[in-house]
């Protein structure tokens, strides 16, 4: 039974609430008319009633054993997390994307953004006005961080408490639909980041009204969602329907599933396998593919193996190992989980084998970790040099712009955008945004705000800083994280953006997303140099990388045929000092690689 409010052909609305442990439930209409209507119990813990004569923006709540609560499946909370819910009739929106059928996931070039800090206005409408800039950059898919209703107006989105409701301060359901519509008209796919592993701390009434969470497991963010305990079937349906709602009602093309390692389900049929089945059916009915992309720190290929092979059948997953291997080489950082990386060999393994840790011993975890995914297509792995987690979870939210030289930024971009995996940029990365991306919240509970401050201070107590972490509750922290859109129109930032643009053009022209065979890769540690050759469906590529901050010598072996240089990060067009590399390679070469440099050659 579909939870929430469903429009009927008769013109009325059916109100459905899953609440298996209550004695009485009533619908309370708040505006424009006031009325209390008893709800009738149905099988498996559902309650429902049908009401006529309501407008699509009517507001309501539920009286559960006499206490008023917003609808846990609310589609809109115009007054915030504590206010009444509002009816949303998805059938009333007129879409303009009938010709949009999504694109192959292998062709995704993802741009991750946060609606609130992507523009000064922090709305869907303002973000839509920037889509032409992203289209000319060359990206093909926009990934938006969670927009499910959270407390206040400032939040990363992972404190959402109404999984079905679109954040009111961003523009609500109508604003999101207009944004998605605009993306599709620009030929851009849309990925929605969703959180199915926990609820946020403020405005979460599910724990008061039903068994949506379980004490069997805990997550780093609180109680785990109840996917396998008593009454779990209603919870599973609640989240399965939520996923389908984003894809069906908002025309979203793919879902990024946050931290699936914290989705605890030890039943015979895992929630994720259930989800892939439902999405496949929807895709068949819509004649359009929809994708599911997991975030997981398990390095478990079961997530993306097909169900006939005992997998869950997800379409892709983030590869943290690639990020960590690249980040440590660029920055020299070795703290925490970075202790498992830091060598050219680690990056070579990530490029060749998908995971660095495939049942290998991890010093950081002090145990063996991961399993092999080398046999799986490269299109099943999303890679990045920066993302909201890896930037925002730093105490000062530094981007790579603050951590490495300008030449290192170009080296990073070259490796990312020429690899055969699905690349993802983090907003502002393409021009070297100077603003940090900090952690911020806007809770209404003073005690909760103080708990956040203390928690952040404790998390970074060993960090050498006189001031400690910025105040997450301060509006200034939020404002500091906003992009400066005028920056890329001049100087080195303009050159960096043009360099990204050229790399993306080459990625498409040279068919770099394909990888029909293995990557023949070599690495050395003294000096830190890495090079590889690989095939595409159209030809072959040769990539050269120097991670040293000084010139390095490379004795390049003979590769059959003649290779033509396509791009060189040290060329003046890209803000470099000038190249030392030849325009073509026709046999064994003793090459001089400039500091922090990247070069790509092709054979077509």
């Amino acid at each position: 039974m579909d939870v929430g409010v469903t429009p009927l052909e008769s013109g009325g609305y059916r109100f459905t609430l899953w609440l298996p442990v209550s004695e009485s439930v009533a619908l309370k209409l708040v505006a424009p008319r006031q009325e209390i209507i008893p709800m009738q119990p149905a099988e498996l813990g559902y309650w429902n009633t049908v009401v006529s004569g309501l407008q699509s923006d009517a507001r309501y709540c539920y009286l559960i054993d006499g206490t008023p609560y917003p609808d846990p499946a609310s589609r809109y909370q115009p007054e915030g997390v504590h206010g009444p819910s509002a009816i949303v009739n998805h059938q009333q929106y007129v879409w303009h994307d009938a010709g949009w059928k999504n694109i192959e996931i292998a062709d995704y070039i993802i741009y991750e953004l946060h609606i609130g800090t992507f523009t000064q206005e922090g709305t869907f409408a303002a973000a839509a006005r920037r889509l032409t800039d992203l289209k000319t950059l060359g990206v093909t898919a926009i990934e938006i961080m969670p927009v499910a209703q959270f407390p206040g107006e400032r939040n990363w989105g992972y404190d959402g408490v109404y999984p079905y409701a679109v954040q009111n301060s961003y523009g609500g359901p109508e604003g999101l639909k207009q944004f998605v519509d605009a993306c599709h008209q620009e030929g851009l796919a849309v990925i929605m980041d969703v959180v199915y592993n926990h609820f946020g701390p403020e405005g979460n009434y599910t724990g008061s009204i039903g068994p949506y969470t379980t004490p069997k497991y805990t997550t780093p963010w609180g109680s785990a969602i109840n996917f396998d305990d008593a009454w779990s079937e209603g919870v599973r349906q609640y989240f399965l329907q939520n996923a389908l709602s984003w894809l069906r009602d908002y025309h979203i093309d793919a879902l990024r599933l946050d931290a699936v390692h914290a989705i605890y389900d030890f039943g015979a049929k895992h929630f994720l396998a259930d989800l892939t089945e439902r999405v496949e059916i929807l895709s068949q009915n819509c004649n359009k593919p929809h994708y599911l992309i997991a975030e997981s720190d398990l390095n478990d290929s079961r997530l993306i193996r097909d169900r006939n092979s005992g997998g869950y059948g997800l379409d892709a997953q983030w590869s943290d190992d690639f990020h960590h291997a690249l980040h440590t080489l660029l920055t020299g950082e070795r703290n925490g989980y970075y202790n498992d990386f830091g060598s050219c060999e680690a990056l070579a393994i990530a490029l060749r084998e998908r995971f660095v840790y495939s049942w290998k011993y991890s010093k950081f975890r002090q145990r063996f970790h991961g399993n092999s995914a080398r046999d799986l297509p490269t299109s099943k792995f999303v890679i990045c040099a920066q993302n909201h987690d890896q930037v925002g979870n730093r105490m000062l939210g530094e981007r790579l712009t603050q951590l490495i030289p300008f030449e290192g930024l170009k080296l990073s971009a070259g490796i990312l955008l020429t690899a055969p995996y699905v690349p993802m940029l983090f907003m502002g990365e393409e021009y070297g945004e100077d603003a940090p991306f900090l952690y911020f919240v806007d809770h209404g509970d003073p005690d909760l705000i103080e708990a956040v401050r203390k928690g952040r201070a404790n998390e970074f107590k060993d960090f050498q800083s006189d001031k400690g972490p910025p105040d997450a509750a301060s509006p200034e922290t939020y404002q500091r994280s906003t992009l400066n859109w005028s920056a890329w129109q001049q100087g080195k930032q303009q050159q960096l953006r043009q360099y990204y643009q050229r790399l993306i053009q080459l990625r498409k022209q040279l068919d770099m997303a394909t990888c029909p065979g293995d990557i023949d890769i070599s690495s050395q540690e003294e000096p830190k140099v890495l090079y590889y050759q690989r095939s595409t469906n159209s030809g072959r590529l040769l990539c050269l990388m120097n991670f040293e901050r000084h010139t390095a010598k490379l004795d390049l072996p003979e590769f059959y045929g003649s290779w033509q240089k396509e791009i060189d990060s040290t060329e003046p067009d890209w803000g470099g000092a000038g190249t030392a590399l030849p325009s073509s390679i026709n046999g064994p070469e003793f090459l001089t690689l400039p500091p922090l440099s990247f070069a790509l050659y092709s054979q077509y």
Side-chain angles (χ1 to χ4, degrees), residues 77 125 127 144 166 320 354 377 382 393 413 436 490 501 508 542 576:
Q77 291 294 120
I144 56 177
V166 180
D320 284 346
R354 290 59 164 165
V382 176
N393 283 327
Q490 57 189 348
Q501 190 175 33
K508 296 174 182 178
L542 173 64

Side-chain angles (χ1 to χ4, degrees), residues 395 453-469:
M395 188 181 87
R453 289 173 177 149
K454 289 181 178 178
R456 297 283 291 174
N458 183 65
E459 180 180 358
F460 297 107
K461 64 180 183 298
D462 296 327
F463 194 91
Q464 294 183 355
S465 174
D466 295 333
K467 297 182 179 179

Side-chain angles (χ1 to χ4, degrees), residues 488-519:
W488 62 265
Q489 298 176 8
Q490 57 189 348
K492 284 200 168 185
Q493 289 178 309
Q494 182 183 52
Q495 290 175 313
L496 183 59
R497 187 182 188 277
Q498 291 170 345
Y499 175 72
Y500 268 85
Q501 190 175 33
R502 180 57 181 154
L503 282 169
I504 292 173
Q505 289 173 348
L506 287 171
R507 181 178 179 85
K508 296 174 182 178
Q509 292 170 8
L510 302 182
D511 207 11
M512 293 185 202
T514 63
C515 190
D518 287 340
I519 299 176

Side-chain angles (χ1 to χ4, degrees), residues 38-55:
M39 299 183 71
Q40 305 303 313
E43 294 182 348
L44 300 177
Y46 289 94
W47 299 74
N48 58 57
T49 190
V50 174
V51 182
S52 301
L54 295 177
Q55 300 298 317

